[in-house]
Each structure stands twice: as C-alpha cells, then as structure tokens.
Amino acid sequence: MLDVPVWLWVTFGVGVVVMLAVDLLAHRKAHVIGFREAAKWSAVWVALSLAFAGLVWATLGAQAGVEFTTAWLLEKSLSVDNLFVFALIFGYFAVPKQYQHRVLFYGVIGALIFRAIFIAAGVAIISKFTVVLFVFAAILLWSAYKLMKDDEDDYDPSTNIAVRLVRKVLPVQDEYSGAKFFVKQGVKWVATPMLVVVVAIEAADLVFAVDSVPAVLAVSDDTFIVYSSNAFAILGLRALYFLLAGMLDRFRYLSKGLAIILAFIGVKLVLQAAHKTISTSVPEIPSLVSLAVVVTVLAGSVLLSLRAGPAPEAGPSSLDAGPSSLDAGRSSLDAGPAGASDPSDPSDQDSSVLKSDQISRS
C-alpha cells in the first residue's frame, strides 16, 4: 500500500466536490447538450484527469502515476460500453433530451458512493484473502467471454429488479415534471418517471461494477489509486455520453476490443494471484505493459470500427428516444411519461432494442 499523504486525499476530495458544483451550476438550466458543448467538457475532464495523474506521479512516484493512468483509462474504456445501456434506458423511458444530463448527474453521484463501498470492500478482502484474486480473475474472463460471444438477447429495463421495486412501492405519475422526483397530487405525494430512470441508471452501474472494479483492482491494490482513477473516469462519463451521441452504432468492434482487454487483465490477475499465493517465481505483468496493451487494443478497435462503419443491421441512433420508446416506457410504468418526446421531430427515431454485443455487460 502506498503512503498517501493526507493533503493529497483532501485535494482529491475537494477537487471532486468543486468539479461537481461547477458542472451543476453550468447546467443548472435544463437544455439539450450539443456536440460542441460536450466536446469542450470532455476536454476539460480529460485535462483534469491527466493533471491529477501528473500530481500523483510527482507525489507518489512514477509507478503510482502509471497505475493511476492505466486504471483511469481502463475504467474510461469500459464506461464507453456502458453508454449503450444508458442510451437504451433513456430511449425506453423516453427521457426528454434536456433532462438527460441531470439524470446522469445524479447517476454519477450514486456511482461515486457505491464505487467507494465496493472498492473499500474489495481492497479489504484482497488484503486478508489474496486467493480471492482468482475469483476476480474468473469474473473478468467470464465477462470477456460474454462480450466476445454474439448473443441475440435483448436488454429489457422493465425486468430490472430495482425499477420493479420502485413501481411496486411508490405510485408513479404518467408524465415528467421537469427534473423533479416527487410532485404533490392533492394530499399525497407521487413519484415521477424521473425517479424511476435514475433508479434504473444506478442499478445498471451496480451491474457494471461487478467487472469494472475487479479489473481496476488488477492494476493496483491501493485504495487511493483505485478510487481516484474510478472517480475521474466516472466524472467525465456524462460529457462522453453526449459527445458520442449518434455515433454509438459505429463502434461495432468496441465490444471485441473490450473483451480482449478484460481477458488480458484477467490473465494479469491470475499471474498476480499465483505470484502471491503459489510461488514468487511466477512472473507478473508490469504496469507499463498493461498501459500499452489497453491503449493499443482500445485505439485499434475504435479505428477499425470507424473504418468499417456501422454494422449492416444497425438502426437509427440509440441515443434518440422516439415514439416507440415512449410506448415502451408507458407500458413499464403502467402509463408512461406522456409528452416526453415530439413525434414530429425527425431526429427522434425508434431504438428500443440494442443487441447484446453492445450491452452484454448488463
């Protein structure tokens, strides 16, 4: 474990709070996030992440700097695949585009909290039971297998246990009321579809954490490195989502690239576990090699995807919530969010289904 000075923890914590506050103030007025705005914010988040990586390098050494950068890039690349599921959830519940950033903002806060819990638990377990690394490796290898396998199953948000529980416990009104979670109808309070969507996003992130947290723990077992890298990757997720609007169906080889990365990290974890529990003669994969593999495979899969173009069966962009998505949302809420999209808007197309090669992590 690294000897992380208290001031570095404080700097990280204050930085996250300040960044969230600035982001919230900048988007306090609900509006549709365009490509140019998303590009600017993406550049800001990347620059801040790399600047913090430099601070980690200068304070904790080159090894820590490389591990932070590798873990951040790994989590960032895995997050891209998660965007397909977010897009499906938005389409299914016909979330108005001007409120999608607010949903993701709440999702980020929840993700920061739950990742802190998972990472703390993972580090504590590894420190006492090193053999559990083999279990984490198995999870990663299984996730890689699922990503590489082209199943034809579809992801249905209405089957989400958390969503079903909310609908069962709370009355949910038909339409959105801005970004409010609850509104008063007569003498009683009822939930809005916005609450259901946020719950669906949070539940999806819990599923994502099952393989992303073990993957990052394979890079470093230090709590500070693992959590801070996760936090910076998550903070930039909203801007990345809107930056890639309309382009997700072009990354046809992304899931294959992520499968290769997860398989590589799984093998790295097996060697790491064997080195610690069986024999020190078992070689370990250096952090610089891990960083090189992640960068090379990720860049290669993206470039191949862009050159090949969308898959032949790819439909309209999954980021546009169309009339059919609205109908699906209504069936899931027993009377869905009426008026959430404009059927006359040619940019709103039906995209209620995504193939599992894009969302197999769910």
Side-chain angles (χ1 to χ4, degrees), residues 316-335:
S317 169
S318 58
L319 291 175
D320 294 321
S324 297
S325 298
L326 176 57
D327 293 337
R330 283 180 172 168
S331 66
S332 71
L333 293 173
D334 295 328

Side-chain angles (χ1 to χ4, degrees), residues 332-362:
S332 71
L333 293 173
D334 295 328
S341 63
D342 183 2
S344 65
D345 184 353
S347 65
D348 288 342
Q349 302 293 333
D350 177 22
S351 57
S352 300
V353 176
L354 291 176
K355 296 302 179 183
S356 65
D357 64 324
Q358 297 173 326
I359 60 172
S360 54
R361 293 183 61 218
S362 64

Side-chain angles (χ1 to χ4, degrees), residues 23 26 42 54 58-59 69 71-72 79 82-83 100 128 136 172-173 184 188 218-219 222 245 257 274 285 289 293 341:
D23 191 297
S42 293
T59 305
T69 304
W72 169 73
S79 296
N82 301 346
L83 299 183
Q100 291 179 3
K128 292 188 176 181
F136 287 170
V172 181
Q173 72 173 15
K184 194 170 185 180
K188 67 177 183 178
V219 176
D222 183 81
I285 299 177
V289 174
V293 170
S341 63

